[in-house]
mmCIF file with all atom_site columns, all heavy atoms in Angstrom:
data_model
loop_
_atom_site.group_PDB
_atom_site.id
_atom_site.type_symbol
_atom_site.label_atom_id
_atom_site.label_alt_id
_atom_site.label_comp_id
_atom_site.label_asym_id
_atom_site.label_entity_id
_atom_site.label_seq_id
_atom_site.pdbx_PDB_ins_code
_atom_site.Cartn_x
_atom_site.Cartn_y
_atom_site.Cartn_z
_atom_site.occupancy
_atom_site.B_iso_or_equiv
_atom_site.pdbx_formal_charge
_atom_site.auth_seq_id
_atom_site.auth_comp_id
_atom_site.auth_asym_id
_atom_site.auth_atom_id
_atom_site.pdbx_PDB_model_num
ATOM 1   N N   . PHE A 1 247 ? 8.555  -0.756 3.616  1.00 0.00 ? 247 PHE A N   1
ATOM 2   C CA  . PHE A 1 247 ? 9.971  -0.372 3.558  1.00 0.00 ? 247 PHE A CA  1
ATOM 3   C C   . PHE A 1 247 ? 10.447 0.457  4.764  1.00 0.00 ? 247 PHE A C   1
ATOM 4   O O   . PHE A 1 247 ? 9.555  1.133  5.393  1.00 0.00 ? 247 PHE A O   1
ATOM 5   C CB  . PHE A 1 247 ? 10.322 0.455  2.351  1.00 0.00 ? 247 PHE A CB  1
ATOM 6   C CG  . PHE A 1 247 ? 10.437 -0.436 1.019  1.00 0.00 ? 247 PHE A CG  1
ATOM 7   C CD1 . PHE A 1 247 ? 9.862  -1.521 0.883  1.00 0.00 ? 247 PHE A CD1 1
ATOM 8   C CD2 . PHE A 1 247 ? 11.242 0.150  -0.045 1.00 0.00 ? 247 PHE A CD2 1
ATOM 9   C CE1 . PHE A 1 247 ? 9.942  -2.281 -0.313 1.00 0.00 ? 247 PHE A CE1 1
ATOM 10  C CE2 . PHE A 1 247 ? 11.296 -0.660 -1.126 1.00 0.00 ? 247 PHE A CE2 1
ATOM 11  C CZ  . PHE A 1 247 ? 10.736 -1.809 -1.408 1.00 0.00 ? 247 PHE A CZ  1
ATOM 12  N N   . ASP A 1 248 ? 11.660 0.239  5.203  1.00 0.00 ? 248 ASP A N   1
ATOM 13  C CA  . ASP A 1 248 ? 12.171 1.186  6.148  1.00 0.00 ? 248 ASP A CA  1
ATOM 14  C C   . ASP A 1 248 ? 13.621 1.379  5.688  1.00 0.00 ? 248 ASP A C   1
ATOM 15  O O   . ASP A 1 248 ? 14.129 0.930  4.698  1.00 0.00 ? 248 ASP A O   1
ATOM 16  C CB  . ASP A 1 248 ? 12.064 0.697  7.538  1.00 0.00 ? 248 ASP A CB  1
ATOM 17  C CG  . ASP A 1 248 ? 12.679 -0.557 7.720  1.00 0.00 ? 248 ASP A CG  1
ATOM 18  O OD1 . ASP A 1 248 ? 13.599 -1.009 7.140  1.00 0.00 ? 248 ASP A OD1 1
ATOM 19  O OD2 . ASP A 1 248 ? 12.183 -1.334 8.713  1.00 0.00 ? 248 ASP A OD2 1
ATOM 20  N N   . ARG A 1 249 ? 14.459 2.113  6.527  1.00 0.00 ? 249 ARG A N   1
ATOM 21  C CA  . ARG A 1 249 ? 15.815 2.459  6.193  1.00 0.00 ? 249 ARG A CA  1
ATOM 22  C C   . ARG A 1 249 ? 16.684 1.239  6.297  1.00 0.00 ? 249 ARG A C   1
ATOM 23  O O   . ARG A 1 249 ? 17.885 1.408  5.890  1.00 0.00 ? 249 ARG A O   1
ATOM 24  C CB  . ARG A 1 249 ? 16.298 3.561  6.990  1.00 0.00 ? 249 ARG A CB  1
ATOM 25  C CG  . ARG A 1 249 ? 15.463 4.910  6.767  1.00 0.00 ? 249 ARG A CG  1
ATOM 26  C CD  . ARG A 1 249 ? 16.098 6.017  7.540  1.00 0.00 ? 249 ARG A CD  1
ATOM 27  N NE  . ARG A 1 249 ? 17.436 6.313  7.167  1.00 0.00 ? 249 ARG A NE  1
ATOM 28  C CZ  . ARG A 1 249 ? 17.909 7.061  6.134  1.00 0.00 ? 249 ARG A CZ  1
ATOM 29  N NH1 . ARG A 1 249 ? 17.058 7.666  5.360  1.00 0.00 ? 249 ARG A NH1 1
ATOM 30  N NH2 . ARG A 1 249 ? 19.166 7.287  5.927  1.00 0.00 ? 249 ARG A NH2 1
ATOM 31  N N   . ASP A 1 250 ? 16.281 0.150  6.721  1.00 0.00 ? 250 ASP A N   1
ATOM 32  C CA  . ASP A 1 250 ? 17.154 -1.085 6.930  1.00 0.00 ? 250 ASP A CA  1
ATOM 33  C C   . ASP A 1 250 ? 16.631 -2.161 5.956  1.00 0.00 ? 250 ASP A C   1
ATOM 34  O O   . ASP A 1 250 ? 16.959 -3.292 6.048  1.00 0.00 ? 250 ASP A O   1
ATOM 35  C CB  . ASP A 1 250 ? 17.141 -1.647 8.289  1.00 0.00 ? 250 ASP A CB  1
ATOM 36  C CG  . ASP A 1 250 ? 17.879 -0.686 9.182  1.00 0.00 ? 250 ASP A CG  1
ATOM 37  O OD1 . ASP A 1 250 ? 19.042 -0.340 8.871  1.00 0.00 ? 250 ASP A OD1 1
ATOM 38  O OD2 . ASP A 1 250 ? 17.476 -0.452 10.308 1.00 0.00 ? 250 ASP A OD2 1
ATOM 39  N N   . THR A 1 251 ? 15.802 -1.852 4.825  1.00 0.00 ? 251 THR A N   1
ATOM 40  C CA  . THR A 1 251 ? 15.392 -2.726 3.879  1.00 0.00 ? 251 THR A CA  1
ATOM 41  C C   . THR A 1 251 ? 16.407 -2.842 2.771  1.00 0.00 ? 251 THR A C   1
ATOM 42  O O   . THR A 1 251 ? 16.840 -1.744 2.220  1.00 0.00 ? 251 THR A O   1
ATOM 43  C CB  . THR A 1 251 ? 14.018 -2.297 3.255  1.00 0.00 ? 251 THR A CB  1
ATOM 44  O OG1 . THR A 1 251 ? 13.058 -2.288 4.306  1.00 0.00 ? 251 THR A OG1 1
ATOM 45  C CG2 . THR A 1 251 ? 13.642 -3.291 2.316  1.00 0.00 ? 251 THR A CG2 1
ATOM 46  N N   . LEU A 1 252 ? 16.766 -4.108 2.336  1.00 0.00 ? 252 LEU A N   1
ATOM 47  C CA  . LEU A 1 252 ? 17.747 -4.087 1.306  1.00 0.00 ? 252 LEU A CA  1
ATOM 48  C C   . LEU A 1 252 ? 17.043 -3.841 -0.190 1.00 0.00 ? 252 LEU A C   1
ATOM 49  O O   . LEU A 1 252 ? 15.983 -4.353 -0.490 1.00 0.00 ? 252 LEU A O   1
ATOM 50  C CB  . LEU A 1 252 ? 18.123 -5.562 1.245  1.00 0.00 ? 252 LEU A CB  1
ATOM 51  C CG  . LEU A 1 252 ? 19.258 -6.100 2.218  1.00 0.00 ? 252 LEU A CG  1
ATOM 52  C CD1 . LEU A 1 252 ? 19.380 -7.556 2.220  1.00 0.00 ? 252 LEU A CD1 1
ATOM 53  C CD2 . LEU A 1 252 ? 20.642 -5.328 2.000  1.00 0.00 ? 252 LEU A CD2 1
ATOM 54  N N   . ILE A 1 253 ? 17.551 -2.834 -0.681 1.00 0.00 ? 253 ILE A N   1
ATOM 55  C CA  . ILE A 1 253 ? 16.994 -2.425 -2.011 1.00 0.00 ? 253 ILE A CA  1
ATOM 56  C C   . ILE A 1 253 ? 18.214 -2.265 -3.020 1.00 0.00 ? 253 ILE A C   1
ATOM 57  O O   . ILE A 1 253 ? 19.407 -2.048 -2.582 1.00 0.00 ? 253 ILE A O   1
ATOM 58  C CB  . ILE A 1 253 ? 16.255 -1.058 -2.048 1.00 0.00 ? 253 ILE A CB  1
ATOM 59  C CG1 . ILE A 1 253 ? 17.087 -0.020 -1.342 1.00 0.00 ? 253 ILE A CG1 1
ATOM 60  C CG2 . ILE A 1 253 ? 14.971 -1.184 -1.141 1.00 0.00 ? 253 ILE A CG2 1
ATOM 61  C CD1 . ILE A 1 253 ? 16.455 1.322  -1.216 1.00 0.00 ? 253 ILE A CD1 1
ATOM 62  N N   . VAL A 1 254 ? 17.856 -2.242 -4.323 1.00 0.00 ? 254 VAL A N   1
ATOM 63  C CA  . VAL A 1 254 ? 18.854 -1.981 -5.382 1.00 0.00 ? 254 VAL A CA  1
ATOM 64  C C   . VAL A 1 254 ? 19.238 -0.565 -5.331 1.00 0.00 ? 254 VAL A C   1
ATOM 65  O O   . VAL A 1 254 ? 18.348 0.385  -5.463 1.00 0.00 ? 254 VAL A O   1
ATOM 66  C CB  . VAL A 1 254 ? 18.335 -2.408 -6.807 1.00 0.00 ? 254 VAL A CB  1
ATOM 67  C CG1 . VAL A 1 254 ? 19.397 -2.091 -7.755 1.00 0.00 ? 254 VAL A CG1 1
ATOM 68  C CG2 . VAL A 1 254 ? 17.960 -3.851 -6.809 1.00 0.00 ? 254 VAL A CG2 1
ATOM 69  N N   . SER A 1 255 ? 20.580 -0.221 -5.119 1.00 0.00 ? 255 SER A N   1
ATOM 70  C CA  . SER A 1 255 ? 20.903 1.134  -4.779 1.00 0.00 ? 255 SER A CA  1
ATOM 71  C C   . SER A 1 255 ? 22.194 1.451  -5.550 1.00 0.00 ? 255 SER A C   1
ATOM 72  O O   . SER A 1 255 ? 23.014 0.677  -5.781 1.00 0.00 ? 255 SER A O   1
ATOM 73  C CB  . SER A 1 255 ? 21.246 1.378  -3.298 1.00 0.00 ? 255 SER A CB  1
ATOM 74  O OG  . SER A 1 255 ? 20.200 0.842  -2.447 1.00 0.00 ? 255 SER A OG  1
ATOM 75  N N   . TYR A 1 256 ? 22.311 2.771  -5.964 1.00 0.00 ? 256 TYR A N   1
ATOM 76  C CA  . TYR A 1 256 ? 23.446 3.318  -6.640 1.00 0.00 ? 256 TYR A CA  1
ATOM 77  C C   . TYR A 1 256 ? 24.276 4.094  -5.540 1.00 0.00 ? 256 TYR A C   1
ATOM 78  O O   . TYR A 1 256 ? 23.604 4.789  -4.756 1.00 0.00 ? 256 TYR A O   1
ATOM 79  C CB  . TYR A 1 256 ? 23.016 4.191  -7.768 1.00 0.00 ? 256 TYR A CB  1
ATOM 80  C CG  . TYR A 1 256 ? 24.148 5.124  -8.345 1.00 0.00 ? 256 TYR A CG  1
ATOM 81  C CD1 . TYR A 1 256 ? 25.108 4.519  -9.107 1.00 0.00 ? 256 TYR A CD1 1
ATOM 82  C CD2 . TYR A 1 256 ? 24.173 6.396  -8.067 1.00 0.00 ? 256 TYR A CD2 1
ATOM 83  C CE1 . TYR A 1 256 ? 26.276 5.363  -9.576 1.00 0.00 ? 256 TYR A CE1 1
ATOM 84  C CE2 . TYR A 1 256 ? 25.144 7.241  -8.614 1.00 0.00 ? 256 TYR A CE2 1
ATOM 85  C CZ  . TYR A 1 256 ? 26.139 6.695  -9.390 1.00 0.00 ? 256 TYR A CZ  1
ATOM 86  O OH  . TYR A 1 256 ? 27.072 7.461  -9.897 1.00 0.00 ? 256 TYR A OH  1
ATOM 87  N N   . ASP A 1 257 ? 25.514 3.943  -5.559 1.00 0.00 ? 257 ASP A N   1
ATOM 88  C CA  . ASP A 1 257 ? 26.358 4.715  -4.477 1.00 0.00 ? 257 ASP A CA  1
ATOM 89  C C   . ASP A 1 257 ? 26.849 5.829  -5.161 1.00 0.00 ? 257 ASP A C   1
ATOM 90  O O   . ASP A 1 257 ? 27.819 5.996  -5.777 1.00 0.00 ? 257 ASP A O   1
ATOM 91  C CB  . ASP A 1 257 ? 27.506 3.698  -4.067 1.00 0.00 ? 257 ASP A CB  1
ATOM 92  C CG  . ASP A 1 257 ? 28.328 4.221  -2.878 1.00 0.00 ? 257 ASP A CG  1
ATOM 93  O OD1 . ASP A 1 257 ? 28.078 5.354  -2.552 1.00 0.00 ? 257 ASP A OD1 1
ATOM 94  O OD2 . ASP A 1 257 ? 29.257 3.449  -2.448 1.00 0.00 ? 257 ASP A OD2 1
ATOM 95  N N   . PRO A 1 258 ? 26.217 7.043  -4.838 1.00 0.00 ? 258 PRO A N   1
ATOM 96  C CA  . PRO A 1 258 ? 26.618 8.407  -5.422 1.00 0.00 ? 258 PRO A CA  1
ATOM 97  C C   . PRO A 1 258 ? 27.882 8.841  -4.884 1.00 0.00 ? 258 PRO A C   1
ATOM 98  O O   . PRO A 1 258 ? 28.638 9.557  -5.507 1.00 0.00 ? 258 PRO A O   1
ATOM 99  C CB  . PRO A 1 258 ? 25.390 9.201  -4.979 1.00 0.00 ? 258 PRO A CB  1
ATOM 100 C CG  . PRO A 1 258 ? 24.821 8.663  -3.826 1.00 0.00 ? 258 PRO A CG  1
ATOM 101 C CD  . PRO A 1 258 ? 24.967 7.233  -3.881 1.00 0.00 ? 258 PRO A CD  1
ATOM 102 N N   . LYS A 1 259 ? 28.325 8.393  -3.597 1.00 0.00 ? 259 LYS A N   1
ATOM 103 C CA  . LYS A 1 259 ? 29.622 8.835  -3.076 1.00 0.00 ? 259 LYS A CA  1
ATOM 104 C C   . LYS A 1 259 ? 30.800 8.236  -3.823 1.00 0.00 ? 259 LYS A C   1
ATOM 105 O O   . LYS A 1 259 ? 31.740 9.133  -4.033 1.00 0.00 ? 259 LYS A O   1
ATOM 106 C CB  . LYS A 1 259 ? 29.756 8.449  -1.609 1.00 0.00 ? 259 LYS A CB  1
ATOM 107 C CG  . LYS A 1 259 ? 28.779 9.115  -0.681 1.00 0.00 ? 259 LYS A CG  1
ATOM 108 C CD  . LYS A 1 259 ? 28.922 8.536  0.731  1.00 0.00 ? 259 LYS A CD  1
ATOM 109 C CE  . LYS A 1 259 ? 27.889 9.281  1.715  1.00 0.00 ? 259 LYS A CE  1
ATOM 110 N NZ  . LYS A 1 259 ? 28.105 8.701  3.138  1.00 0.00 ? 259 LYS A NZ  1
ATOM 111 N N   . ARG A 1 260 ? 30.510 7.164  -4.354 1.00 0.00 ? 260 ARG A N   1
ATOM 112 C CA  . ARG A 1 260 ? 31.631 6.560  -5.088 1.00 0.00 ? 260 ARG A CA  1
ATOM 113 C C   . ARG A 1 260 ? 31.535 6.820  -6.607 1.00 0.00 ? 260 ARG A C   1
ATOM 114 O O   . ARG A 1 260 ? 32.449 6.851  -7.228 1.00 0.00 ? 260 ARG A O   1
ATOM 115 C CB  . ARG A 1 260 ? 31.619 5.014  -4.809 1.00 0.00 ? 260 ARG A CB  1
ATOM 116 C CG  . ARG A 1 260 ? 32.617 4.241  -5.663 1.00 0.00 ? 260 ARG A CG  1
ATOM 117 C CD  . ARG A 1 260 ? 32.463 2.822  -5.427 1.00 0.00 ? 260 ARG A CD  1
ATOM 118 N NE  . ARG A 1 260 ? 33.021 1.968  -6.634 1.00 0.00 ? 260 ARG A NE  1
ATOM 119 C CZ  . ARG A 1 260 ? 32.863 0.823  -6.850 1.00 0.00 ? 260 ARG A CZ  1
ATOM 120 N NH1 . ARG A 1 260 ? 32.198 -0.030 -6.011 1.00 0.00 ? 260 ARG A NH1 1
ATOM 121 N NH2 . ARG A 1 260 ? 33.337 0.090  -7.864 1.00 0.00 ? 260 ARG A NH2 1
#
Side-chain angles (χ1 to χ4, degrees):
F247 278 23
D248 57 29
R249 295 183 61 83
D250 288 314
T251 298
L252 285 168
I253 56 177
V254 178
S255 307
Y256 166 74
D257 190 349
K259 294 180 180 179
R260 177 185 156 190

